[in-house]
Amino acid sequence: MKLLRLGSLAALTLGFFSTGCGPSDAAGGDGVEQSRAALSPAVSTFPSTYARQWMLDLAFSVKYDNIAPPVASRSFAYAAIAAYEATVHGMPGNQSLVGQLNGLTSLPQPDPSATYDWPTVLAATLGKVVPATYVYPNVLFFEYTTRTHISLESIEGIQVSLRVDAGIAQSVVDASVTYGHALGDAIAAWANQDGYAEARYQGYVPPSGDPSNWVATGYVDALASRPQEPHFGDLRPVVLGSGADCLAPPPVPFSTDPSSAFYAQANDVLQLDLNLTKEQREIALYWADGAGSETPPGHWLKIANDLVRPLTLADAVQAYLPVMVSMFDAAIATWNTKYHYDLLRPETYVHRYIDAQWIPLLPTPQFPSYTSGHSGFSAAAATALTSVFGAGPFTDKTKVRGGFETRTYPNFMAAAIEAGLSRRYGGIHYQMDDEQGRAIGQCAANAVLTNVALHP
């Protein structure tokens, strides 16, 4: 992967996707390149705010609608793809993702004779894609600035009206909305062919009869104890061939023998939880990102939001893309592994074979243990963020409003490792879950960074 520099941060060495061969016909070929002189002004002349506001509102909506982590990653990824495609023709030197993402064979093209306002195109595109790919159609989104619930049509309309107020000619705004709507409809149609609509309502009967099988924990209500997203691992990834491309190796062989490696894994979780330091407890709570939060991928989205704040719109859409797509593909691969091995949680094992009274610090999620979703999301995001912003230190300020102090890390992967450890401190994952989940996240992100080129 060749390192590039983001135009607005010349003082930082920042990496992007590989710059190898890519498509040059359906979306970004010579004809579109030659027409760019008529499309004004360049995306790099606008601030990141136009994309940040959408991503922030999406993260807060996930929080208030209590969306499951893998489903949240799906919404984030398609929003990031839409934001990039909505602006790519205003970024000379960049190319479309057509032909590079699974199943994305064509998209509407801008009219070479028209002039476009890229923030308006962005708003019109996301106004179509976000509600179409969100788990609840026609939902009222939580708008961060006003801290009220608002329709997607209203968010789009507000942004478009602001462009008119800024002096953009009505004819340019109209052309931009028309193009953005056509582009958004096409991206939404492609996105919704990934199989999620079918997977969401597909029945599932968990395996039974083997003591190593996962069982629900902490619930007596049948609805609440249903396994979460059992078919998410069957979705079409964005870049990976399938979720099985990053399948983890088998877990440590199940055993109830106190001298066995599996017993040791479970007992380590118990002993760690019983002897938590103040710092370990703080880490567990900091990265909990459970029900009623932005979710683990949402936590990393907010980290990305802080990082792109000083950037241009062009730099921001290019930064969001690898992070969000990597987390979505990591979610598919992680959930594929979870239901492939269907391993019981530490809480279940400890209650059966070590200490029936133990209560872990964090509530145990309702899906199999191996591997850790937190570790997968975090390693995927950290790998992608490193490709964009380099391996230097950063400060996570996303939980200050929640009463936490900021946390500073030497690099993104150090934060990802801490996020994975947090699940062990919380008593809900084995060491092998964490380590192999991290490997899945890196596998997914490396596939994205290797196979997607933003520059021909």
Side-chain angles (χ1 to χ4, degrees), residues 277-289 299-300 303 306-307 392-400 403-412 414-419 421-422 425:
T277 67
K278 181 180 179 181
E279 172 69 3
Q280 289 171 335
R281 181 183 178 87
E282 185 77 4
I283 289 171
L285 296 176
Y286 187 84
W287 290 99
D289 296 321
H299 188 154
W300 284 98
I303 289 173
D306 283 344
L307 292 167
F394 83 102
T395 298
D396 180 3
K397 300 174 286 186
T398 61
K399 294 298 185 74
V400 172
F404 292 94
E405 299 291 329
T406 61
R407 298 188 70 83
T408 298
Y409 303 93
N411 51 61
F412 296 111
I417 290 171
E418 182 180 276
L421 280 170
S422 76
Y425 296 156

Side-chain angles (χ1 to χ4, degrees), residues 350-361:
V350 170
H351 282 179
R352 286 177 179 174
Y353 308 114
I354 305 177
D355 181 353
Q357 303 305 312
W358 175 59
I359 300 176
L361 175 64

Side-chain angles (χ1 to χ4, degrees), residues 209-265:
D210 190 310
S212 69
N213 288 153
W214 171 82
V215 295
T217 56
Y219 293 97
V220 294
D221 179 79
L223 181 63
S225 65
R226 290 188 306 178
Q228 184 184 87
E229 300 296 333
H231 299 288
F232 200 87
D234 299 330
L235 266 60
R236 177 196 66 193
V238 177
V239 176
L240 292 174
S242 73
D245 283 1
C246 293
L247 182 69
V252 170
F254 180 81
S255 175
T256 61
D257 186 338
S259 65
S260 68
F262 198 102
Y263 189 100
Q265 289 259 340

Side-chain angles (χ1 to χ4, degrees), residues 85-97:
E85 286 295 337
T87 53
V88 65
H89 296 296
M91 297 189 290
N94 281 60
Q95 66 180 359
S96 170
L97 302 171

Side-chain angles (χ1 to χ4, degrees), residues 82-412:
Y84 179 81
E85 286 295 337
T87 53
V88 65
H89 296 296
M91 297 189 290
N94 281 60
Q95 66 180 359
S96 170
L97 302 171
V98 167
Q100 301 191 77
L101 308 185
N102 294 327
L104 188 62
T105 57
S106 66
L107 287 174
Q109 297 299 292
D111 181 349
S113 65
T115 300
Y116 294 98
D117 176 60
W118 299 114
T120 301
V121 176
L122 177 68
T125 304
L126 286 172
K128 290 288 188 177
V129 172
V130 171
T133 56
Y134 195 68
V135 65
Y136 300 133
N138 304 317
V139 71
L140 290 176
F141 269 55
F142 184 83
E143 208 282 316
Y144 177 74
T145 304
T146 61
R147 302 192 73 80
T148 59
H149 285 81
I150 188 171
S151 71
L152 263 295
E153 293 82 0
S154 296
I155 294 176
E156 176 190 336
I158 289 170
Q159 291 201 355
V160 171
S161 295
L162 288 174
R163 299 305 295 154
V164 174
D165 293 343
I168 306 301
Q170 189 66 52
S171 60
V172 173
V173 170
D174 291 344
S176 300
V177 169
T178 298
Y179 172 53
H181 282 171
L183 181 63
D185 284 338
I187 293 173
W190 161 75
N192 285 325
Q193 292 171 355
D194 66 0
Y196 180 63
E198 296 78 12
R200 184 182 179 198
Y201 297 106
Q202 189 174 347
Y204 178 77
V205 178
S208 61
D210 190 310
S212 69
N213 288 153
W214 171 82
V215 295
T217 56
Y219 293 97
V220 294
D221 179 79
L223 181 63
S225 65
R226 290 188 306 178
Q228 184 184 87
E229 300 296 333
H231 299 288
F232 200 87
D234 299 330
L235 266 60
R236 177 196 66 193
V238 177
V239 176
L240 292 174
S242 73
D245 283 1
C246 293
L247 182 69
V252 170
F254 180 81
S255 175
T256 61
D257 186 338
S259 65
S260 68
F262 198 102
Y263 189 100
Q265 289 259 340
N267 193 49
D268 283 350
V269 176
L270 172 63
Q271 297 307 317
L272 187 59
D273 181 81
L274 294 176
N275 297 283
L276 284 176
T277 67
K278 181 180 179 181
E279 172 69 3
Q280 289 171 335
R281 181 183 178 87
E282 185 77 4
I283 289 171
L285 296 176
Y286 187 84
W287 290 99
D289 296 321
S293 76
E294 291 87 353
T295 72
H299 188 154
W300 284 98
L301 183 156
K302 291 180 72 176
I303 289 173
N305 257 10
D306 283 344
L307 292 167
V308 305
R309 184 187 299 271
L311 306 186
T312 69
L313 178 58
D315 292 341
V317 297
Q318 292 176 91
Y320 283 126
L321 186 65
V323 180
M324 303 307 143
V325 172
S326 294
M327 286 197 291
F328 179 33
D329 274 17
I332 293 172
T334 300
W335 258 249
N336 179 272
T337 292
K338 282 181 177 294
Y339 287 96
H340 180 82
Y341 294 113
D342 195 54
L343 189 66
L344 79 173
R345 288 279 182 168
E347 181 178 357
T348 304
Y349 187 97
V350 170
H351 282 179
R352 286 177 179 174
Y353 308 114
I354 305 177
D355 181 353
Q357 303 305 312
W358 175 59
I359 300 176
L361 175 64
L362 299 179
T364 298
Q366 298 306 304
F367 43 87
S369 191
Y370 185 78
T371 56
S372 166
H374 262 59
S375 300
F377 290 125
S378 299
T383 301
L385 284 168
T386 301
S387 80
V388 177
F389 294 98
F394 83 102
T395 298
D396 180 3
K397 300 174 286 186
T398 61
K399 294 298 185 74
V400 172
R401 287 179 178 269
F404 292 94
E405 299 291 329
T406 61
R407 298 188 70 83
T408 298
Y409 303 93
N411 51 61
F412 296 111

